[in-house]
Amino acid sequence: MQSELLDRSYHFLNFLPTVSDFLVQKHKESGLKVDEKSLYNLVTEADLKAESMILDEIQKNYPGDGILSEERGKIEGNSGYTWVVDPLDGTTNYTHGLPLYGVSVGVVETDTMTPLIGMVFFPELNTYYHAIKGQGAFREKTPIQVSRTSSLKDSLFVTGFPYDRNLSLDTLMQYYKSILQKSRGIRRTGAATLDLCWLAEGKFEGYYELGLKPWDMAAAGLIVLEAKGKITSMDGNDFSILIPSLLATNGLVHEYLLAEFEGQINREVY
């Protein structure tokens, strides 16, 4: 298995800069075509082209692998591996000219959906993060680890809001208020993969969000775990990319945050 994972990781760490270059060039052009999949949920021609580039590369080089991607959906495979792809995480940022967006590619074990490989490129931040299960997490070639801050008052957190946030706005604000009152602050980048990667290298102590999808968590979630972080659902259940509720921390503030959320989780956003 390790040789198969290394091969896939090495191949795509060398391929994904091509996708990054495409997104940067497209971002410079005027007249980007934008469609609404739903309220607040956008898709651009750049998303679709970047996804095609990634899926074509997977199918050409690993034709037996399955694929789960944001825009194309599910493609069955027979190798035991499934690629989980978000060609452009942070589409709203992208459409507004912000550089906070990423390309996320992960590989999971098909039967259990356990993350095995995670790669996230941030084209206009000129950096990338990656991990293979059991081999640590890296920013480019440098090993990274979560922070060692252990108190809420000294912690900086980050969050995001689900696309159907109008269904549960009061509850979301309750979470926000509760943590904001006890911490150094809360940030919002607009890209779940960036939140998780910055947590993995110690910029944040914790991240929480409801309404996530597998492609938001598969690659960057593994990077957090390999950086010695901790991930559960917001109600304390084991991490699964199929559960749309995520609490990721440095491990030292995890129980404090679970206590903040206890009895408050609003499943309407699931």
Side-chain angles (χ1 to χ4, degrees), residues 212-224:
L212 292 173
K213 301 294 184 182
W215 42 83
D216 296 316
M217 300 180 275
L222 178 65
I223 292 168
V224 170

Side-chain angles (χ1 to χ4, degrees), residues 3-237:
S3 63
E4 293 175 329
L5 297 181
L6 284 168
D7 176 69
R8 284 163 173 78
S9 176
Y10 180 80
H11 184 96
F12 267 78
L13 287 175
N14 284 280
F15 169 72
L16 287 175
T18 302
V19 181
S20 292
D21 289 345
F22 162 75
L23 289 172
V24 171
Q25 184 58 44
K26 199 70 179 174
H27 209 196
K28 295 176 182 177
E29 298 176 6
S30 60
L32 182 70
K33 183 180 178 183
V34 181
D35 293 318
E36 286 190 1
K37 292 190 288 186
S38 62
L39 185 63
Y40 310 126
N41 190 1
L42 307 179
V43 62
T44 72
E45 55 188 318
D47 294 72
L48 300 175
K49 175 60 177 176
E51 184 178 69
S52 291
M53 293 169 69
I54 295 168
L55 269 56
D56 288 350
E57 191 72 10
I58 294 170
Q59 293 176 317
K60 180 174 70 175
N61 292 279
Y62 308 103
D65 290 3
I67 299 172
L68 177 62
S69 64
E70 181 173 11
E71 309 304 339
R72 190 93 54 100
K74 190 172 185 180
I75 301 171
E76 298 290 347
N78 56 21
S79 70
Y81 298 115
T82 295
W83 296 75
V84 184
V85 177
D86 189 344
L88 206 174
D89 179 42
T91 299
T92 300
N93 287 346
Y94 190 83
T95 61
H96 285 265
L98 298 174
L100 303 181
Y101 64 90
V103 182
S104 177
V105 176
V107 177
V108 302
E109 187 177 60
T110 301
D111 289 342
T112 64
M113 299 301 280
T114 300
L116 303 172
I117 299 173
M119 297 167 279
V120 188
F121 278 64
F122 298 103
E124 292 187 45
L125 300 182
N126 297 311
T127 194
Y128 64 93
Y129 299 78
H130 58 104
I132 297 176
K133 187 178 181 183
Q135 296 191 25
F138 298 83
R139 177 177 178 175
E140 299 171 20
K141 296 181 180 180
T142 302
I144 57 173
Q145 287 193 5
V146 294
S147 83
R148 304 308 298 163
T149 299
S150 60
S151 66
L152 283 183
K153 70 179 180 64
D154 296 322
S155 295
L156 184 64
F157 297 104
V158 64
T159 190
F161 302 128
Y163 291 126
D164 55 357
R165 54 187 174 266
N166 288 342
L167 297 176
S168 53
L169 197 56
D170 289 343
T171 303
L172 292 169
M173 291 300 100
Q174 186 176 349
Y175 301 156
Y176 197 93
K177 179 181 178 181
S178 177
I179 295 172
L180 188 61
Q181 288 175 323
K182 299 177 182 178
S183 69
R184 186 161 286 173
I186 301 177
R187 301 292 181 262
R188 170 154 161 69
T189 72
T193 55
L194 184 60
D195 297 338
L196 287 164
C197 287
W198 278 356
L199 167 64
E201 67 171 335
K203 286 179 166 56
F204 299 124
E205 277 64 53
Y207 161 70
Y208 69 93
E209 188 165 353
L210 290 164
L212 292 173
K213 301 294 184 182
W215 42 83
D216 296 316
M217 300 180 275
L222 178 65
I223 292 168
V224 170
L225 293 173
E226 288 297 315
K228 303 189 183 305
K230 182 174 182 177
I231 303 180
T232 65
S233 65
M234 285 174 63
D235 50 5
N237 289 315

Side-chain angles (χ1 to χ4, degrees), residues 152 157 175 178-179 182 206-208 230-239 245-249 251-265 270:
L152 283 183
F157 297 104
Y175 301 156
S178 177
I179 295 172
K182 299 177 182 178
Y207 161 70
Y208 69 93
K230 182 174 182 177
I231 303 180
T232 65
S233 65
M234 285 174 63
D235 50 5
N237 289 315
D238 290 343
F239 171 51
S245 151
L246 189 73
L247 172 61
T249 73
L252 301 176
V253 299
H254 205 89
E255 297 303 318
Y256 295 132
L257 289 178
L258 284 178
E260 292 297 315
F261 297 134
E262 187 175 6
Q264 298 184 44
I265 301 302
Y270 284 15

